[in-house]
Amino acid sequence: MEENLLFKPVKDDGINKETFIEHAIKTYHVGNFLFDKLKLNIDMKKYLYACFFHDAGKLVIELGKVGHTPKSKDGLDLLKNLNEYQILLKNFELGDYSDDKEVLHAIEKHHDSDNELSAFTSIADQIASSSSNDDLKNRLKMLPISSLITYLNEMHGFNKYNFYSITIQSFSKNELNAIGKLILLKLLYESIGELNDIKLLYETLNGCRVVTTLEWGELRLKISEKFYNNIVSFIQEQDLSQLLRGAPDAYWQCNVLPEEVLSKINLFTVDKYISDILRDIKDKSIQKIEDVGFTKQNLIDFTELRELKKYKSNINNTKKKLLADENGKFPEWIVLTLYKDKEKIQSSPEAGEPILENLLKKVGVNTDAITNKKIVYEKLVSLAVAINSLKSYKSTFSLNLNNFITIDGRVSIDAIAKNQDYVCANCGTFAGKIPLSTFTLEEKKHYREVLFRKNNAEIRNEKILICEMCHVETLLNAFLCGVTYDRRQARVDTKTHLVLYGLDIDKDLINSITDKKLIDRLLKDFKITSESIYVKNRTDLQIILLSLSEFNVGIKNEIYRQLLFSLLAFRLKERNPLITSFSINSLPKSLNNEIVQFAEGDLNIKHGKPIDYFEYVYAYVNAKYDQKRDYILEYYNNPFIGIAQIFKREFLLYDEQTEKVVKKLAENDILHEITDQIWEMAKLGGGLETGKNVGSFLGMFKGRAEDVDKLVNKLLKNEKLSAEQRTKIIEIHQRTREILINLTEEKRKELKDYVQKTKYLFNSKKFYEIKKGKEAI
C-alpha cells in the first residue's frame, strides 16, 4: 500500500485527526442504525457502501485545499487496487459498487444531496462527524444545524434519540496502567451492550458512541450500576491466587477487592500454603495433603478460629508465640527441630503443648500423626500470619464509575481532589481513597518523573493514597501481567506489552504465524505468560495483547525492544492487513499500521534485512537469551557480519535455513559478493579440505587487487588441482580483481574487516556446498 491510504487523515481540525478507516467505520455503523430504524426504501448494500466510502475523494486531494467530492471516482479507483479493499468488502458484507452510477452519484452529492440515497449518506456522515449530541440538537446554538438533521429530528422523530460519546477519564502516570485501562474500556463496552435501552453504535480507541432515549444523567447512572456488577464478575473469574505473593504479613495488600470475592481469598491462601508444604517435602510418598496428617478442611477451619487473631504480628514473633505453650515456654523437640542454633531460644522441661498444636486439635487434627513437622509447622505459622494480615485490613474496594465516566466531554468534578494532601499519588487528579501498597502500584520512576515522592515509611503507614480509578486499572493490569515477588513484597509484574488493534482479528491469528516457529520460540525463551486476545464482532475494533515478561529487555533495551515488536508487528500485519495500529503499553493516539507507539515516542516499523536477521537469531540459533540479545545489539547495523559472528562463537553448521538468510542479507551487497568469491576460490583450490587453519591464507588480505593475486598464486600451487578447477579459479580471480580495482579506500578497509570476520561463516558454507555436491552424486 504505497501511501497507506486507509490511514490518510480525512478530518483535521488542528487538534484532532481522523483517518479514512476510522471515519468510514463510524459512518457505516451510523448508516446501519438509520437504515434499521427508518426502514429506508433504498438498497441497503448500496447505501452502506456509500456510507463507508463517501470520503474516497479525500484520498487524492490535499485536505482543505480543494473540494473532494468531484474526485470520488479517482479515490475509489485507488482503493480498489489494494488488498485491503477486498477484505473490507468481505468484512462489512458489502458488494463492490465502485463503478455503480447510482452509488457514485450518492457519494459525489453527499454534500449537496439531491435524492434519498445521497441525503441519508450525508446524514450518516454528519452524525458520525459530530463531536457531541448537542451538535445534532443545536441546544448550544454555537453552530447552525443542517436542514437534513432538522428533517431527521422533526419528520422521523429522531429528536427523542441522543447520540452520546462515552469514555472513562484516566490520568495515570504509570505507563503500565494503559493495559488496565484497555480492559476497563472493553468491560465498559460490554456493559453498555447489555443494556436494552442503549444501543452501542461503534467503538473507538478511547471510547464509544451510543444511541439512547435516556438523558445523560440517567444514562450515567445506568451504565455505572451495570459496569460495577460486570467488573465484580470479571474479577471473580480471574486467577486470584496469583495475587498471593510476598511476605505473609503483607497479605493485607491483596484485600482491597470487592466484598463478593474476599471470601475466596482465604481459600486461595489455604491452597497456596498446601501447595508450599507439598513442594518443600521431598518425600515422594507424599502426594497430597492428607498424606501429611490432616485435610484441607482442617486448614480452612484453622484459619477461621477466633483465637487465631490474638497472634497477629510479624512472622518471627508469631512463630515464637504459636510454637511456645500458653506460658511462653518451648518444648525441647521444638527448639531442636525448628530453631537449633539460628535463634537463642531455650527449651524448658516444664513446657507443655505448643499453642499451634492446641489450635490444630480444636479443628480435629491428630498432631501425633503429622509428618515432616519442621516444614509443616513453619508453613502453618506463615499461614496464620497471612490470614491475620488479610483480616486486619479495614479498607474496602469501591468504584463508583459515575465519578469517572465522561459523556460528550462532561466530567463529574465530584471525584477531583479538593485538597492537595488527599490527591491521588499516581494520577495527581482525583481524590485518593485507597492506601497505596506495594502491590497496588510499585514505587518506581516513571520515564519523566517520580511517581511517589514520599518515603517508604509513609507508604507503609498508609498515608499515601490513590484513587479508585488508578487502583482498578492497576488491579486489572495485575491480572493480565501477573504478580512478581520482589524484596519480600508482591508487585505487579513489570511486563512490556505489544498492543494490536484491528478489525476481523481471528482468534487463531497468533498461531497462524508460527510457520516460522517464531512465537513458539518467544514463548519458550522469554516466558510470555499471558496471551490476551479480545475478539468481539468483526466490524468492531478488536485487541490482541502480547505480553513480554523480561523487564530489562522490554523496557530498558531500546534497540532490542524496537526490533522485537517491529518483527511481531510486521508478521501480524503481513497476515492480517486490517490490523490498524500498534502500541507499547499505551493506548494509541492515532491509527497507523506503519508505526509502533512507545511511551517515549513513535517509531517506524522496521522492514527488510534487520527483520530477517532478527528472526533467524531468535528462531534458529540455539544460544542463551543474553547471548542472542548481544548478537542483535552488537551487529544491528550489519546483520550479515552478525550471522558470521554467531558461527564463530556458537560453532554452528551451515544449513538450508542459513543459506536462505545469507542470500537475503547479501542482496545488492558488493562486499558479500567479493567475500563469497574469495571463499569459492578457496574451495576450488582445496583450501578447505583439511579443516585445519582454514583462512590462514587471508592474513595478507587488505582489500587490494594485489592481495587477491597473492592469494590465487598460493592456491594454484596445489598440484592436485584439475584443469577445470584451475580455469574456474582464474575466471573468478579476473572478475574479483576488476571489482577490487574500483573500490574506494574506505570500502577496502571495510572489506578487510568483512572478510576476516566472516571466515567462519564462509568456511561452513563451502563445506556445506561440498557435502551437498557429494550427496547429489
Side-chain angles (χ1 to χ4, degrees):
M1 187 167 49
E2 213 167 284
E3 287 182 51
N4 207 1
L5 290 176
L6 294 182
F7 306 102
K8 184 175 180 180
V10 292
K11 291 188 177 296
D12 185 355
D13 60 7
I15 300 173
N16 299 307
K17 289 184 179 181
E18 194 165 73
T19 63
F20 175 85
I21 188 71
E22 287 177 287
H23 186 57
I25 292 169
K26 290 178 180 181
T27 311
Y28 167 88
H29 282 297
V30 173
N32 223 336
F33 175 76
L34 293 174
F35 191 92
D36 180 57
K37 281 293 176 186
L38 300 177
K39 310 298 180 191
L40 297 177
N41 190 28
I42 52 180
D43 186 294
M44 180 181 182
K45 290 208 170 184
K46 288 186 177 183
Y47 172 53
L48 293 180
Y49 182 95
C51 287
F52 199 100
F53 295 103
H54 71 278
D55 271 345
K58 289 185 178 179
L59 301 177
V60 292
I61 59 128
E62 191 176 348
L63 199 60
K65 299 292 183 182
V66 292
H68 68 278
T69 51
K71 295 289 186 179
S72 297
K73 181 68 171 73
D74 296 338
L76 285 172
D77 287 343
L78 273 180
L79 281 170
K80 55 197 263 197
N81 292 324
L82 305 177
N83 291 332
E84 287 89 335
Y85 179 74
Q86 293 302 325
I87 299 171
L88 287 171
L89 295 183
K90 180 182 177 182
N91 211 52
F92 288 85
E93 297 181 347
L94 298 170
D96 184 358
Y97 295 104
S98 56
D99 293 317
D100 186 282
K101 291 182 180 179
E102 185 182 8
V103 172
L104 281 172
H105 179 82
I107 291 174
E108 289 171 352
K109 299 292 288 182
H110 78 270
H111 280 184
D112 52 343
S113 51
D114 58 4
N115 63 19
E116 200 170 15
L117 183 58
S118 61
F120 279 100
T121 300
S122 178
I123 290 172
D125 176 30
Q126 289 180 55
I127 293 175
S129 302
S130 61
S131 59
S132 72
N133 188 58
D134 286 335
D135 288 351
L136 304 173
K137 300 297 183 289
N138 206 26
R139 289 170 179 157
L140 300 179
K141 309 241 180 317
M142 293 176 70
L143 295 169
I145 194 167
S146 81
S147 57
L148 285 174
I149 297 296
T150 300
Y151 164 78
L152 184 72
N153 287 334
E154 295 179 1
M155 302 304 294
H156 288 280
F158 258 61
N159 211 40
K160 66 181 180 182
Y161 290 107
N162 296 303
F163 292 81
Y164 289 123
S165 296
I166 299 176
T167 190
I168 298 176
Q169 286 296 332
S170 170
F171 302 98
S172 175
K173 296 186 181 80
N174 188 327
E175 61 265 31
L176 287 176
N177 268 22
I179 305 300
K181 183 181 180 183
L182 204 56
I183 304 300
L184 202 70
L185 284 173
K186 279 308 205 179
L187 286 170
L188 172 68
Y189 304 156
E190 286 188 354
S191 300
I192 291 171
E194 292 171 10
L195 293 168
N196 294 328
D197 42 5
I198 304 172
K199 166 72 175 175
L200 178 62
L201 269 185
Y202 52 76
E203 302 173 8
T204 68
L205 291 176
N206 58 4
C208 63
R209 193 82 180 274
V210 302
V211 184
T212 181
T213 56
L214 301 174
E215 291 300 317
W216 75 274
E218 188 181 1
L219 174 69
R220 183 193 294 274
L221 285 172
K222 272 209 161 190
I223 292 175
S224 298
E225 289 171 4
K226 185 66 177 176
F227 179 84
Y228 180 84
N229 292 331
N230 280 351
I231 199 166
V232 169
S233 298
F234 179 83
I235 292 173
Q236 285 176 321
E237 292 170 4
Q238 303 308 305
D239 179 11
L240 297 174
S241 63
Q242 68 174 303
L243 303 183
L244 302 173
R245 302 282 182 88
D249 51 355
Y251 268 36
W252 60 268
Q253 64 189 337
C254 306
N255 212 23
V256 187
L257 290 167
E259 289 184 14
E260 295 87 341
V261 300
L262 284 179
S263 59
K264 288 186 177 182
I265 291 293
N266 277 12
L267 296 178
F268 284 128
T269 305
V270 170
D271 286 338
K272 190 255 186 204
Y273 279 97
I274 287 175
S275 176
D276 286 355
I277 290 169
L278 295 176
R279 180 199 64 207
D280 289 354
I281 293 174
K282 306 303 180 185
D283 187 344
K284 292 183 180 179
S285 66
I286 295 178
Q287 299 294 319
K288 55 186 185 297
I289 200 64
E290 287 78 6
D291 298 335
V292 177
F294 48 81
T295 66
K296 177 179 176 179
Q297 188 60 49
N298 290 146
L299 289 192
I300 293 172
D301 294 341
F302 170 75
T303 62
E304 293 175 355
L305 287 170
R306 288 185 179 180
E307 301 98 306
L308 198 63
K309 66 182 179 182
K310 292 193 299 185
Y311 305 100
K312 180 187 181 301
S313 185
N314 61 42
I315 190 76
N316 287 329
N317 287 337
T318 303
K319 181 179 178 181
K320 290 176 183 176
K321 289 178 181 178
L322 286 177
L323 295 179
D325 67 8
E326 290 184 350
N327 298 314
K329 295 180 179 179
F330 293 88
E332 184 178 9
W333 74 269
I334 287 283
V335 175
L336 292 174
T337 305
L338 286 106
Y339 287 99
K340 296 184 180 178
D341 297 328
K342 293 179 182 176
E343 296 185 48
K344 294 179 179 179
I345 301 294
Q346 300 297 319
S347 63
S348 170
E350 299 151 8
E353 184 178 50
I355 290 174
L356 178 63
E357 290 196 342
N358 181 266
L359 294 176
L360 289 172
K361 285 180 178 179
K362 286 188 177 184
V363 295
V365 176
N366 177 4
T367 55
D368 293 334
I370 295 177
T371 64
N372 296 277
K373 284 190 176 182
K374 179 181 188 303
I375 292 172
V376 171
Y377 283 12
E378 284 184 338
K379 294 300 180 186
L380 291 184
V381 168
S382 294
L383 173 61
V385 173
I387 290 296
N388 280 330
S389 178
L390 282 169
K391 291 182 177 179
S392 67
Y393 197 49
K394 303 302 181 188
S395 185
T396 56
F397 176 90
S398 64
L399 177 63
N400 183 1
L401 195 69
N402 196 40
N403 290 328
F404 301 98
I405 195 168
T406 300
I407 300 177
D408 277 359
R410 283 189 269 196
V411 187
S412 170
I413 64 170
D414 293 341
I416 305 297
K418 299 175 179 63
N419 187 321
Q420 185 63 32
D421 291 337
Y422 294 98
V423 71
C424 171
N426 181 42
C427 70
T429 305
F430 299 118
K433 292 186 177 181
I434 299 169
L436 174 70
S437 71
T438 48
F439 160 69
T440 307
L441 280 170
E442 179 181 3
E443 186 181 10
K444 62 187 281 287
K445 282 192 175 182
H446 190 253
Y447 71 97
R448 285 204 188 99
E449 59 186 291
V450 177
L451 285 182
F452 313 115
R453 301 178 186 279
K454 305 295 183 182
N455 60 44
N456 286 331
E458 290 176 295
I459 293 173
R460 283 194 296 271
N461 293 329
E462 302 177 17
K463 292 184 177 179
I464 310 299
L465 305 174
I466 60 170
C467 68
E468 301 159 83
M469 184 53 56
C470 287
H471 170 70
V472 170
E473 286 180 2
T474 311
L475 187 62
L476 294 175
N477 192 60
F479 289 131
L480 177 68
C481 299
V483 175
T484 189
Y485 182 70
D486 181 26
R487 295 188 292 264
R488 292 177 54 78
Q489 301 293 347
R491 301 182 187 276
V492 178
D493 203 349
T494 317
K495 290 180 181 172
T496 299
H497 291 81
L498 171 65
V499 185
L500 306 172
Y501 292 78
L503 294 162
D504 200 23
I505 296 177
D506 184 41
K507 287 183 179 179
D508 298 323
L509 177 61
I510 299 300
N511 293 330
S512 75
I513 62 173
T514 56
D515 54 325
K516 304 280 187 184
K517 299 182 181 177
L518 173 66
I519 297 301
D520 288 343
R521 190 58 81 100
L522 286 171
L523 287 168
K524 179 181 176 184
D525 286 1
F526 304 116
K527 301 179 179 62
I528 297 176
T529 56
S530 181
E531 266 181 49
S532 241
I533 304 178
Y534 184 98
V535 180
K536 194 178 178 187
N537 300 317
R538 66 178 181 276
T539 55
D540 288 329
L541 279 174
Q542 297 156 60
I543 305 168
I544 290 182
L545 297 173
L546 283 178
S547 174
L548 184 69
S549 65
E550 176 55 55
F551 172 84
N552 289 331
V553 174
I555 300 294
K556 292 183 178 177
N557 191 321
E558 290 294 320
I559 297 176
Y560 171 82
R561 183 179 65 175
Q562 292 162 25
L563 273 169
L564 172 66
F565 291 118
S566 290
L567 175 62
L568 286 176
F570 181 77
R571 291 296 178 217
L572 288 164
K573 185 181 69 174
E574 202 174 46
R575 298 299 291 265
N576 190 308
L578 292 186
I579 288 178
T580 52
S581 64
F582 304 82
S583 68
I584 304 298
N585 285 356
S586 63
L587 301 179
K589 298 176 286 296
S590 63
L591 285 170
N592 189 333
N593 70 352
E594 293 298 321
I595 62 172
V596 179
Q597 292 188 302
F598 293 88
E600 295 83 358
D602 299 344
L603 293 167
N604 289 329
I605 291 175
K606 296 181 184 300
H607 298 267
K609 294 179 181 180
I611 290 293
D612 293 291
Y613 172 59
F614 181 88
E615 182 170 330
Y616 174 79
V617 172
Y618 283 93
Y620 297 99
V621 176
N622 188 25
K624 290 182 179 179
Y625 151 71
D626 287 341
Q627 189 62 55
K628 289 190 209 178
R629 182 191 60 194
D630 290 343
Y631 292 147
I632 292 292
L633 295 177
E634 189 176 354
Y635 300 108
Y636 172 60
N637 291 323
N638 198 330
F640 187 75
I641 289 184
I643 277 198
Q645 292 299 84
I646 291 171
F647 272 76
K648 179 178 180 180
R649 297 178 188 178
E650 303 295 333
F651 305 105
L652 295 185
L653 296 176
Y654 200 88
D655 58 18
E656 289 183 8
Q657 185 60 36
T658 314
E659 189 171 42
K660 289 178 185 176
V661 178
V662 167
K663 285 180 179 177
K664 177 70 177 176
L665 296 178
E667 286 175 3
N668 303 318
D669 187 341
I670 192 165
L671 300 186
H672 166 269
E673 176 65 23
I674 297 171
T675 309
D676 195 23
Q677 293 302 303
I678 288 172
W679 283 96
E680 180 66 19
M681 288 188 288
K683 181 183 80 172
L684 291 168
L688 305 180
E689 290 176 1
T690 63
K692 295 178 181 178
N693 298 318
V694 172
S696 58
F697 56 86
L698 288 173
M700 82 286 281
F701 188 79
K702 309 293 183 188
R704 301 166 302 190
E706 54 265 36
D707 298 332
V708 83
D709 295 341
K710 293 175 184 177
L711 189 152
V712 169
N713 283 329
K714 188 169 184 178
L715 292 173
L716 292 176
K717 288 178 182 178
N718 184 352
E719 296 176 354
K720 295 180 180 179
L721 296 183
S722 66
E724 184 182 0
Q725 286 173 315
R726 289 176 182 276
T727 301
K728 285 184 179 179
I729 290 173
I730 292 168
E731 287 175 357
I732 294 171
H733 167 252
Q734 288 174 340
R735 291 199 305 271
T736 308
R737 198 177 197 285
E738 288 177 12
I739 298 172
L740 287 171
I741 290 171
N742 295 318
L743 284 184
T744 64
E745 198 58 37
E746 185 180 350
K747 277 288 181 185
R748 289 187 206 286
K749 290 177 182 177
E750 194 178 341
L751 176 62
K752 174 190 172 184
D753 184 57
Y754 202 89
V755 170
Q756 296 296 335
K757 285 186 175 177
T758 58
K759 62 184 180 182
Y760 287 88
L761 170 66
F762 280 99
N763 176 23
S764 298
K765 179 184 178 186
K766 298 310 171 186
F767 270 123
Y768 173 72
E769 291 172 351
I770 291 169
K771 181 181 177 183
K772 278 182 69 175
K774 288 179 179 177
E775 287 174 351
I777 293 171

